[in-house]
Amino acid sequence: MREEKSVTAGPEAARLDKYLSEVFPEHSRSFFQNCIENGQVLVDGRPARAKEKPREGSIITFFAEEPRELEAKPEDIPLDIVYEDGDIAVINKPKGMVVHPAPGNETGTLVNALLFHMKDLSGINGVLRPGIVHRLDKDTTGLLVIAKNDAAHISLAEQIREKTARREYTALVFGGFREEEGRVDAPIARHKTDRKRMAVVPGGREAVTLFQVAARYEKYTLLHLRLTTGRTHQIRVHMAYIGHPVAGDAVYTKQKFPYPTQGQMLHAHRLTLTHPRTGERMTFEAPLPAYFREILSRLREI
């Protein structure tokens, strides 16, 4: 159901999101911030700007779709289960699979597959993200750990927060490097004008990516990378920021990659964690997917 309301700004209107939350207390300030970012708030017929203070007499209109309840249902989707016990499971996620249901991706997700294959999953993140402790982008392949109970979830989430869990990636990026290894320390936040993208933004959340050269090709470099923070799209944003975007990435670079990838060439190849019940330090590895190996083979021949 579509909701649309208008109000005329008074003589002392506060910042737009705050003002609307006061006029329409059934909605929160964060609700209106999201509406403004999505172009769902108009001031005198034009899209509102973030942090805007409306002038007296301005006509403010907002509209939003009433949220529709999503439901995660079990689906018989094959899974590459690298490891499983009563507390955790480690999955090698394929390219093209979304981690959990969301508008526009309500079926065919990793969660739908987990609900079919596994009896127990943690409930901390709600009915749409059972067992999900961390995520990979749709077109990023590789290792994810799944929590099968709440105690395991709490332990794994703390390990990620305290940086004792190690997540290591392989990426093919544009260009060559003089150095053998390096560090990107640049804060990340939502892009100011494109809400679907992230960007390096002063005052954003801390984000640190470590990288090491694994192989060099004529126009590309194969990197091993390690995250010490886990921001959305972190590796993709950081690599584009330093002028070496990930090959095949359709969001963070306009450079054309002459090989079929269906998305960025980024693979989570190693995951190290402490088992939440036994305390054992465990490392899991996933080989590069076949398409990734084939492209590297072709680059070696150039």
Side-chain angles (χ1 to χ4, degrees):
M1 179 179 176
R2 186 182 179 89
E3 177 181 25
E4 183 170 340
K5 295 183 180 179
S6 295
V7 64
T8 301
E12 296 180 358
R15 203 177 96 164
L16 192 55
D17 55 349
K18 184 174 185 294
Y19 177 68
L20 288 173
S21 67
E22 293 170 349
V23 175
F24 302 106
E26 67 271 24
H27 295 296
S28 68
R29 189 170 178 178
S30 62
F31 169 85
F32 285 113
Q33 288 171 350
N34 286 332
C35 286
I36 293 169
E37 288 183 14
N38 291 331
Q40 295 168 267
V41 177
L42 305 179
V43 177
D44 295 329
R46 59 164 177 78
R49 298 184 296 271
K51 302 182 181 180
E52 178 173 354
K53 290 185 178 181
R55 294 179 296 180
E56 181 179 2
S58 292
I59 305 299
I60 305 167
T61 303
F62 84 86
F63 58 92
E65 298 293 333
E66 187 173 297
R68 180 169 56 87
E69 288 295 324
L70 296 178
E71 183 180 0
K73 297 181 179 180
E75 295 180 37
D76 186 4
I77 301 170
L79 281 181
D80 182 0
I81 301 174
V82 176
Y83 174 85
E84 183 179 9
D85 61 26
D87 298 290
I88 67 172
V90 177
I91 309 297
N92 183 16
K93 188 188 82 67
K95 181 178 285 288
M97 176 179 274
V98 174
V99 170
H100 60 77
N105 291 287
E106 299 177 18
T107 61
T109 72
L110 176 62
V111 162
N112 297 113
L114 291 172
L115 290 170
F116 181 88
H117 290 281
M118 298 180 186
K119 179 181 178 181
D120 298 311
L121 293 168
S122 72
I124 288 177
N125 273 340
V127 296
L128 292 182
R129 293 185 288 173
I132 302 301
V133 182
H134 63 119
R135 295 180 294 176
L136 293 176
D137 298 337
K138 175 182 177 181
D139 292 323
T140 297
T141 57
L143 297 173
L144 279 167
V145 63
I146 303 300
K148 301 183 75 174
N149 53 64
D150 288 356
H153 192 126
I154 292 169
S155 172
L156 293 168
E158 183 178 0
Q159 291 180 49
I160 292 173
R161 185 170 56 252
E162 297 298 324
K163 305 174 186 177
T164 59
R166 290 173 61 102
R167 291 168 290 165
E168 299 173 70
Y169 295 75
T170 299
L172 184 71
V173 303
F174 285 96
F177 287 74
R178 292 182 178 179
E179 64 270 43
E180 291 295 324
E181 58 185 35
R183 169 189 175 102
V184 185
D185 186 347
I188 290 176
R190 188 71 59 181
H191 194 282
K192 292 183 178 180
T193 59
D194 186 349
R195 193 171 179 275
K196 294 182 179 180
R197 298 173 60 196
M198 307 300 289
V200 170
V201 177
R205 301 181 71 188
E206 177 192 15
V208 178
T209 303
L210 308 177
F211 66 85
Q212 184 175 35
V213 172
R216 301 176 188 272
Y217 305 98
E218 184 179 9
K219 298 179 181 179
Y220 308 95
T221 302
L222 188 70
L223 297 179
H224 287 163
L225 307 104
R226 182 163 67 88
L227 297 181
T228 66
T229 55
R231 308 304 174 211
T232 300
H233 300 175
Q234 179 172 319
I235 289 174
R236 298 163 64 191
V237 171
H238 272 174
M239 290 300 102
Y241 175 69
I242 65 172
H244 297 282
V246 178
D249 192 336
V251 176
Y252 293 102
T253 180
K254 295 182 180 180
Q255 294 189 58
K256 301 299 181 183
F257 187 59
Y259 302 97
T261 65
Q262 289 78 51
Q264 61 274 3
M265 291 194 66
L266 180 61
H267 176 70
H269 72 269
R270 184 179 295 123
L271 176 64
T272 302
L273 53 86
T274 300
H275 193 280
R277 185 179 299 271
T278 67
E280 178 186 358
R281 195 69 174 163
M282 308 177 78
T283 296
F284 306 95
E285 296 190 357
L288 291 175
Y291 87 93
F292 205 134
R293 298 195 304 270
E294 171 63 22
I295 289 174
L296 294 183
S297 177
R298 293 168 70 176
L299 289 177
R300 283 192 290 269
E301 295 172 358
I302 296 176

